[in-house]
Each structure stands twice: as C-alpha cells, then as structure tokens.
Amino acid sequence: MAVLEQEFVKGFIRLCNGGFLQGWHERNGGNLTYRMKKEEVEAVKDELSDKREWQEIGTEVPGLANEYFLTTGSGKYFRNVILDPVHSIGIARIDETGTKFQVVWGLENGARPTSEFPSHLMNHEVKKAINENYRVIYHAHTTNLIALTFVLPLDDKVFTRELWEMATECPVVFPDGIGVVDWMVPGGKDIAIATSKLMKKYDAAVWAHHGLFAAGYDFDLTFGLMHTIEKSAEILVKVLSMTPHKRQTIQPDQFRALAKDFNVTLPERFLYEKEEA
Ligand code: 2HA
Ligand code: ZN
C-alpha cells in the first residue's frame, strides 16, 4: 500500500499540522521523528528505494542499528507537510553500525532529515533501551515555555515544580518531571548528548531560549505532553504578568494527596518547601 495511506504516516502528518496550528512552528522551526514498527516497514517495503547515498549521522546510535524512521526534512516547514508530504518528510534507515543513514522514501529533490537528527536519534536510543514502546520524539518552539527560560532559573526542579503548580493535571501527565538544558548550539552532537542524558530520567527536556523536546509511545501521547506543558507555561506567563507573587497555589502535601489518588509517584525532590509560600 502507498506510504501516504499508512495510518502511522497519517498520524505523523496530523501531528505536524496540529503543531503548526498551535503556533509552535514558525518557518522551518521544529522537527518530528517516528521509529517505525517492523510490520509498518514490511507494509511499505515495495515503495522503498536504496538508490540514495549513505550519509554520516554525526553521532553513534548502535542501539538503533537497522531501524527505520519517518522524519521531517531539514529546512522544511511544518505548515507545508500536509500539502506536500513527499518533499517535506521522508523515511530514513540506519545502517548496521548506527553511524550512517540512507533516505529510502520521500524527502524528494535531495532533501535531508531534520537538522536535529542527531538529538532525535540519541533520544530514541535512550528511550528504546528503557522501553521498546517509545517511538516518537517531537521538538517544537513552544512560545510560553521559551519565554519562561528568560525568567526562571534553568533548573529541572524549578521548572517541574512551577509547571506542576499551574494545572492540577500536570503532575499526573508528567510525574517524572521535566529536564532543562542550558543554552547550547543546536543541531550537533553535544546538545544531543546533553538532551539524551536528561531523557534517561524525563519524557521532556527544555532547550533554554529555544524550545522543548518530548518523547512518547505514540503521536497522541507525545503531542498531548507537548500541549500540556506549553499550556501550563502559558498559565504561568499570565500569572507572572499579573503579579510576581502567587496569592495561593497547590502545596506539597496536596501534591502528595493527588499522587496517592491518581496512582503516580512524584519524586520528593520536586516537593521542596518554598520560602515565600
Ligand atoms: O529549524 O527547530 O532546532 C529546525 C529547528 C532546529
Ligand atoms: Zn528548534
């Protein structure tokens, strides 16, 4: 069956369009990758070509040897994915050493996978080793969360706690918390290593003054995580725009009660006592 008729491809395109409609993908901002299931590779096998050259990934991901990824293209606009998928997205396979990739479908006219391919692949490698069900890595330029990286300390504990406080569902949606990467040059191996280190602990990592990386089992969960975190950031921006001090908020013991009823474990290091509270 044609690649564009596959459910996983439709889900991928729908996420791209959803993210664009949220305002998270100005110009060519943001990127998305999906680690295909064996049966999904099998279903499109006849559509794949091995004519294009093997290229260096720029980092090593031996844990992803021979895997196939659906990816957005470098320099491509999320806005155009739904209109022109074959030029905007493509399938790349990884070689048996985990150092090279080959485009086997899409990304027509010589386009390449996202400039953040090294970060995506290193995140996939970490997540796959934790749980095979992780298949999606999504990077977006979430406006309010980026704004917060100019005013909050760039600290996992502070970002997690402040975002948890802004919406009761947050600790249930991301009970492990979120990580923060200091400002770094994007696109390369160093930021990929820093991000994948955080992905061992978290499903989301903020890039200071840049955006957010989110990991998940499927498109709904991963988009939902991005959406929940950005919504919470938006509420915090609104609160901070009205006043530097919250009059009331959710307290550590209330988070503990929530954790009990919703059957999640909230690490105590995020439930510190605050001086001003
Ligand atoms: O332009 O978002 O981080 C794509 C990006 C780079
Ligand atoms: Zn970016």
Side-chain angles (χ1 to χ4, degrees):
M1 201 165 55
V3 172
L4 292 173
E5 282 162 31
Q6 303 291 326
E7 285 307 315
F8 75 95
V9 180
K10 290 186 198 164
F12 186 100
I13 292 173
R14 179 160 171 258
L15 187 154
C16 290
N17 204 54
F20 169 70
L21 294 173
Q22 289 295 327
W24 302 336
H25 299 287
E26 75 291 342
R27 203 172 181 278
N28 61 320
N31 23 77
L32 175 66
T33 54
Y34 171 74
R35 186 169 60 83
M36 289 165 62
K37 297 177 183 167
K38 289 221 160 40
E39 61 269 26
E40 290 164 341
V41 176
E42 198 56 36
V44 296
K45 214 177 52 198
D46 295 343
E47 310 265 329
L48 308 182
S49 135
D50 62 359
K51 298 258 178 341
R52 288 170 69 168
E53 75 280 21
W54 287 95
Q55 301 179 63
E56 298 289 336
I57 295 169
T59 188
E60 309 84 46
V61 284
L64 300 177
N66 304 313
E67 292 271 11
Y68 286 70
F69 290 89
L70 184 58
T71 176
T72 50
S74 180
K76 302 299 180 183
Y77 292 27
F78 268 50
R79 179 169 175 250
N80 293 337
V81 169
I82 197 166
L83 300 172
D84 186 13
V86 299
H87 290 92
S88 307
I89 66 176
I91 297 173
R93 68 164 159 160
I94 310 300
D95 72 347
E96 65 275 357
T97 68
T99 61
K100 293 188 172 62
F101 69 86
Q102 180 187 44
V103 174
V104 293
W105 177 88
L107 294 174
E108 286 182 7
N109 296 341
R112 293 171 49 92
T114 166
S115 61
E116 303 295 357
F117 213 35
S119 278
H120 279 254
L121 293 180
M122 290 193 82
N123 291 343
H124 276 293
E125 188 181 40
V126 162
K127 286 304 192 186
K128 181 188 167 191
I130 294 169
N131 184 335
E132 281 270 351
N133 291 323
Y134 279 101
R135 297 201 168 269
V136 183
I137 300 288
Y138 179 29
H139 167 59
H141 294 176
T142 42
T143 316
N144 292 283
L145 190 69
I146 295 169
L148 289 177
T149 67
F150 295 89
V151 299
L152 293 184
L154 298 175
D155 177 335
D156 301 6
K157 287 208 298 290
V158 175
F159 266 77
T160 298
R161 175 65 175 277
E162 293 306 310
L163 293 172
W164 278 2
E165 284 185 30
M166 289 304 111
T168 297
E169 67 165 334
C170 283
V172 180
V173 176
F174 50 102
D176 298 333
I178 76 173
V180 183
V181 181
D182 284 346
W183 188 87
M184 291 178 78
V185 176
K189 182 173 178 171
D190 292 347
I191 197 165
I193 291 170
T195 311
S196 62
K197 221 186 254 174
L198 291 175
M199 283 291 181
K200 289 183 180 158
K201 279 195 281 193
Y202 307 117
D203 280 346
V206 182
W207 280 5
H209 322 323
H210 185 144
L212 181 66
F213 264 83
Y217 294 173
D218 61 29
F219 297 118
D220 276 348
L221 285 167
T222 314
F223 186 87
L225 177 61
M226 183 73 71
H227 205 179
T228 303
I229 292 171
E230 171 59 6
K231 172 82 182 267
S232 184
E234 181 179 354
I235 298 169
L236 185 52
V237 167
K238 288 183 195 292
V239 170
L240 293 172
S241 305
M242 290 185 280
T243 170
H245 303 291
K246 298 167 206 152
R247 183 173 178 136
Q248 55 269 322
T249 186
I250 306 170
Q251 297 297 330
D253 274 342
Q254 296 177 315
F255 282 121
R256 291 183 188 104
L258 181 76
K260 197 157 159 272
D261 271 25
F262 280 79
N263 245 329
V264 290
T265 305
L266 301 180
E268 277 293 319
R269 69 194 180 93
F270 298 127
L271 300 179
Y272 51 88
E273 290 300 329
K274 292 186 188 177
E275 266 154 40
E276 91 273 28

